[in-house]
Amino acid sequence: EVVLTQSPATLSLSPGERATLSCRASQSVSDYLAWYQQKPGQAPRLLIYDASNRATGIPARFSGSGSGTDFTLTISSLEPEDFAVYYCQQRSNWALTFGGGTKVEIK
Amino acid sequence: QVQLQESGPGLVQPSQTLSLTCTVSGGSIKNFYWAWIRQPPGKGLEWIGYIYYSGPTKYNPSLKSRVTVSLDTSRNQVSLRLTSVTAADTAVYFCASLVRSNYFDPWGQGTLVTVSS
């Protein structure tokens, strides 16, 4: 099973600042990696798929990069609605796993 | 746009079977992969399993011995059965479509299932 490790666990930032979230895989997942945003009481929402492609309707301030084992989600300038928990997710062979999440909180 | 809605008992007794249904609207369940994911209160996400109409069903190895995911094409529903539940199975259970065979989108709103006597 591929283990995804996200860091940091919590990121304290102010609106307008840049957020950089990391996801590291225990073995290569090529570019089969996605990022999700989850707000309290809501289901997760797909932001990025195939490491760097924005899902439908996702603002351009969200971008993804990386391949193999190291991936990054960048939010170029935080909006008030971006404070949430972010998860990465991969598929290796037929199994899917999630990272533990990064909480982006208001500083 | 496909929409999903989970339903089922909110309380299940220990050692019993958890049964949930996901009703799909806006599209046929024959055209996509369908998955179940769960999230214990205050914790992260765990994939449970997925199914395709004409393909294999795959399960998380940690749950494989207790899980069944199935389709009811006449009702356009996806079902989840989890046997021999314990308090550790208390979670919000989500259904989702699995797009590009890899990613979950969209998701249902989720339903909280508590395992308690």
Side-chain angles (χ1 to χ4, degrees), chain A residues 5-45:
Chain A
T5 302
Q6 292 189 241
S7 62
T10 304
L11 198 52
S12 299
L13 295 168
S14 300
E17 289 194 295
R18 183 184 189 89
T20 303
L21 288 67
S22 174
C23 177
R24 177 163 291 178
S26 59
Q27 62 190 71
S28 177
V29 298
S30 185
D31 61 353
Y32 297 132
L33 189 108
W35 291 93
Y36 300 84
Q37 177 193 67
Q38 187 178 32
K39 297 179 180 179
Q42 297 185 16
R45 175 176 68 149

Side-chain angles (χ1 to χ4, degrees), chain A residues 1 31-34 36 38 41-46 49-51 87 89 91 93-96 98-100, chain B residues 33 37 39 43-47 50 58-61 94 98-105 107-110:
Chain A
E1 173 184 302
D31 61 353
Y32 297 132
L33 189 108
Y36 300 84
Q38 187 178 32
Q42 297 185 16
R45 175 176 68 149
L46 179 67
Y49 65 91
D50 289 346
Y87 294 95
Q89 174 253 316
R91 171 174 168 156
N93 296 318
W94 48 262
L96 302 102
F98 290 92
Chain B
Y33 284 82
I37 305 103
Q39 184 172 38
K43 296 188 178 181
L45 299 162
E46 179 181 37
W47 163 65
Y50 65 76
K58 297 295 185 183
Y59 300 119
N60 187 321
F94 297 98
L98 192 63
V99 296
R100 302 174 186 272
S101 303
N102 294 327
Y103 312 120
F104 303 104
D105 183 53
W107 297 58
Q109 67 183 26

